[in-house]
Amino acid sequence: MNLTSTQDIFDKFLTLLDADREQAGQKYENLRQRLIKFFEWRNCEMSEELTDTVFDRVMRKISEGEEIQNVTAYSATIAQFVFKEYLRSNERQNQLIE
């Protein structure tokens, strides 16, 4: 599938959430809130920005033709990687400050 625009990619993402556009929108908002909570519960200062990073990476994979069976689980896995990167970044900043 040749996805050419950001809107095409986002539409594909929504379709992976649900075939019904209205249901997909609701599931997107639910997933967004779950990811924000995931980062907040881990005391991340930038939970919304990290959530956006997760969505950016998932949509990049979609644009590259990655076959995603369960976009919610896939997003949760990406969130774990983003969280680890966040921790490493904070650790480096703390070392620089010291």
Side-chain angles (χ1 to χ4, degrees):
M1 174 181 289
N2 184 11
L3 301 174
T4 56
S5 74
T6 304
Q7 186 62 48
D8 290 340
I9 296 165
F10 186 70
D11 288 344
K12 173 69 174 167
F13 178 78
L14 289 177
T15 300
L16 289 171
L17 287 169
D18 198 290
D20 178 88
R21 183 74 173 199
E22 190 171 316
Q23 288 294 315
Q26 185 61 45
K27 288 180 181 182
Y28 171 81
E29 283 302 319
N30 290 344
L31 177 58
R32 180 169 180 72
Q33 290 307 310
R34 285 178 53 201
L35 291 172
I36 288 170
K37 292 290 184 198
F38 171 84
F39 292 116
E40 286 177 348
W41 290 334
R42 287 157 180 79
N43 297 316
C44 297
E45 297 170 4
M46 310 171 354
S47 59
E48 290 187 25
E49 292 87 348
L50 294 172
T51 297
D52 290 341
T53 299
V54 170
F55 284 138
D56 288 345
R57 291 185 186 181
V58 171
M59 287 188 225
R60 183 176 62 224
K61 287 296 190 179
I62 291 169
S63 74
E64 293 170 352
E66 182 88 19
E67 289 295 322
I68 301 172
Q69 299 299 317
N70 182 335
V71 74
T72 301
Y74 191 86
S75 298
T77 300
I78 298 297
Q80 292 173 355
F81 287 114
V82 168
F83 175 65
K84 289 176 185 176
E85 291 168 10
Y86 169 83
L87 290 177
R88 281 193 299 268
S89 174
N90 275 358
E91 187 175 302
R92 280 188 219 122
Q93 286 178 337
N94 289 340
Q95 288 173 352
L96 288 174
I97 292 172
E98 292 174 2

